[in-house]
Amino acid sequence: MQIKTLILGAGAAGMMCAAHAGAGTLIVDHAKAPGEKIRISGGGRCNFTNMYASPENFLSGNPHFCKSALSRYTQWDFIDLVSRHGIAYHEKTLGQLFCDETSKDIVQMLLTELHAAGAEIWLKTSVGTVCQKNGKFEVQLEKDGTEVTVFADNLVLATGGKSIPKMGATGLAYDIAKQFGLAVTDTRAGLVPFTFTDGRFGPLSGVALPVRVKSDTATFEEALLFTHRGLSGPSVLQISSYWREGQDVSFDLYPQGDLYETLRAKRSEDGRKNLSTILAQLLPAKLIEHLAKDLGISGNIADQSDAKLRALDAALRNWRLTPSGTEGYRTAEVTLGGIDTDGLSSKTMEAKSTPGLYAIGEAVDVTGWLGGFNFQWAWSSGFAAGTAIAAKP
């Protein structure tokens, strides 16, 4: 079978690429349905982009690499596409855009676009050997029990990273990239909950509150959620991408104001009340109960000196924890690291050493924050590769 372009992976980036790569495009995936990560994302409503997406919202060995693709296909371009397909959407928080109805609308939109562009899609198709002969990529595929050899001028790696293996995620893109001499950086789970092996937060499971969380290199102000196994919630998922094993993380449990002055005012107004009762009006009662022994929370607030209130303020606004680890790829929303950007063109996503070979989406060492940024990278990088391929004779 002779074609112009073979795209491995019918996820967000692969389908976006297929919609722009022109005629003679085949996109394949081992799954029963395309865009499975799109389908399950955002609680089934797909946080498909972020109104404030910019290069600063991405992690990469080369922070400049993503700039070209993001500037040439922006969040506003994708929002326009969504609007043209009549898909209703809303902003949830912090610029995060979600479908009003279902994430399946985004999958159907991409299928409509790629079919209109003349692309063909094969599902339940596995990839065997991949090699290059006489300037063409020779790929062995198996579809419905039949082996098919495909010869393609262009090969696009869009199979994602290692996150959520139960959905079939593998390191296929990395293996093929290495085969063609591309470097692959160390990978690890990103946007992932923290774990604590001693189970210390089990009794607090389900408790949530707004926090400001800091690592050595980043700060986020979003919700914290306690779980049976440790810590989760948007703030933790965000900071996890910047965390390395052995490092501690600082939580400001009262980011919304001046805790010290608030407690001094309470001391004047409600001096006879127990300190823990006052704190439980400001923070979740279960959390105060959990912290009481370590922080010496006892007695009436009237009996607390300014020095004691200052010490309490310092402890609650710089609560330092050292996670045992993370939940790993099992629940990670993304994979940090991937195909080294040094080997790729930032304008086209084409491998510098192997013309016709492209890498896009999560397979590449570009990882976004939580909140629609990783989908935007999929759209932008898929568009960059697709339009570059379409421009080829």
Side-chain angles (χ1 to χ4, degrees):
M1 182 178 174
Q2 301 266 0
I3 58 173
K4 182 180 177 183
T5 305
L6 176 62
I7 301 172
L8 306 182
M15 287 196 285
M16 189 68 173
C17 182
H20 292 92
T25 298
L26 172 64
I27 179 170
V28 301
D29 202 292
H30 59 77
K32 292 184 294 184
E36 282 292 83
K37 262 197 171 181
I38 299 173
R39 182 182 63 79
I40 68 164
S41 72
R45 289 196 174 179
C46 186
N47 177 193
F48 56 81
T49 193
N50 194 292
M51 290 164 60
Y52 307 119
S54 71
E56 289 69 40
N57 305 118
F58 295 85
L59 294 82
S60 172
N62 176 2
H64 301 291
F65 180 83
C66 64
K67 290 180 178 178
S68 176
L70 289 172
S71 67
R72 285 182 300 121
Y73 191 89
T74 70
Q75 59 268 40
W76 306 111
D77 293 314
F78 194 78
I79 291 166
D80 179 59
L81 178 65
V82 168
S83 298
R84 281 191 277 120
H85 280 260
I87 299 171
Y89 64 89
H90 60 278
E91 180 189 0
K92 193 171 179 183
T93 182
L94 301 171
Q96 300 166 11
L97 300 185
F98 288 77
C99 298
D100 281 0
E101 299 296 329
T102 171
S103 53
K104 292 176 185 175
D105 290 342
I106 300 292
V107 177
Q108 188 54 55
M109 176 190 78
L110 293 167
L111 287 172
T112 300
E113 288 286 317
L114 70 87
H115 285 137
E120 189 178 354
I121 185 166
W122 288 4
L123 300 170
K124 293 188 281 188
T125 301
S126 59
V127 178
T129 59
V130 178
C131 63
Q132 192 177 29
K133 291 180 184 174
N134 304 318
K136 286 191 180 290
F137 295 95
E138 183 180 318
V139 182
Q140 300 293 331
L141 302 176
E142 186 178 318
K143 183 183 188 319
D144 300 328
T146 303
E147 290 197 359
V148 181
T149 303
V150 173
F151 296 92
D153 298 326
N154 305 291
L155 178 65
V156 184
L157 306 180
T159 55
K162 297 178 180 177
S163 50
I164 319 184
K166 71 179 180 185
M167 292 185 65
T170 68
L172 177 64
Y174 309 145
D175 296 338
I176 297 173
K178 287 176 184 174
Q179 186 187 323
F180 286 97
L182 290 174
V184 176
T185 71
D186 290 340
T187 59
R188 56 195 172 92
L191 300 181
V192 64
F194 286 140
T195 56
F196 292 78
T197 51
D198 57 10
R200 70 182 82 169
F201 298 125
L204 295 178
S205 182
V207 171
L209 71 158
V211 301
R212 183 182 297 118
V213 60
K214 293 181 183 179
S215 71
D216 291 345
T217 56
T219 302
F220 293 96
E221 195 166 323
E222 291 194 61
L224 165 67
L225 173 68
F226 291 90
T227 71
H228 285 292
R229 290 170 56 82
L231 302 175
S232 189
S235 66
V236 166
L237 299 187
Q238 295 280 38
I239 211 71
S240 72
S241 293
Y242 293 85
W243 177 81
R244 294 297 181 118
E245 221 155 79
Q247 292 180 341
D248 63 2
V249 179
S250 166
F251 292 90
D252 178 350
L253 301 176
Y254 195 77
Q256 61 268 46
D258 187 327
L259 181 60
Y260 169 67
E261 289 299 339
T262 301
L263 291 174
R264 287 189 77 221
K266 292 283 186 183
R267 188 175 60 188
S268 300
E269 299 161 13
D270 296 311
R272 296 170 69 179
K273 284 189 177 176
N274 194 286
L275 175 59
S276 60
T277 302
I278 294 293
L279 286 169
Q281 294 171 1
L282 306 171
L283 296 166
K286 278 188 176 180
L287 177 58
I288 296 305
E289 189 181 329
H290 174 84
L291 295 171
K293 187 178 178 183
D294 286 348
L295 301 187
I297 298 172
S298 62
N300 291 342
I301 192 165
D303 301 327
Q304 314 296 321
S305 66
D306 280 359
K308 178 67 189 291
L309 294 183
R310 280 198 184 279
L312 188 58
D313 172 87
L316 291 171
R317 303 203 66 177
N318 186 20
W319 187 40
R320 303 192 78 85
L321 298 170
T322 306
S324 306
T326 73
E327 293 276 6
Y329 291 119
R330 185 179 66 85
T331 62
E333 295 204 15
V334 291
T335 303
L336 288 154
I339 297 170
D340 196 324
T341 58
D342 284 353
L344 304 174
S345 161
S346 62
K347 290 184 178 176
T348 65
M349 304 291 132
E350 188 173 22
K352 294 173 182 176
S353 59
T354 308
L357 179 66
Y358 297 78
I360 59 177
E362 194 184 342
V364 179
D365 176 27
V366 175
T367 306
W369 290 1
L370 182 74
F373 299 101
N374 287 290
F375 275 130
Q376 185 56 47
W377 172 244
W379 316 137
S380 297
S381 61
F383 177 85
T387 51
I389 290 168
K392 286 183 170 181

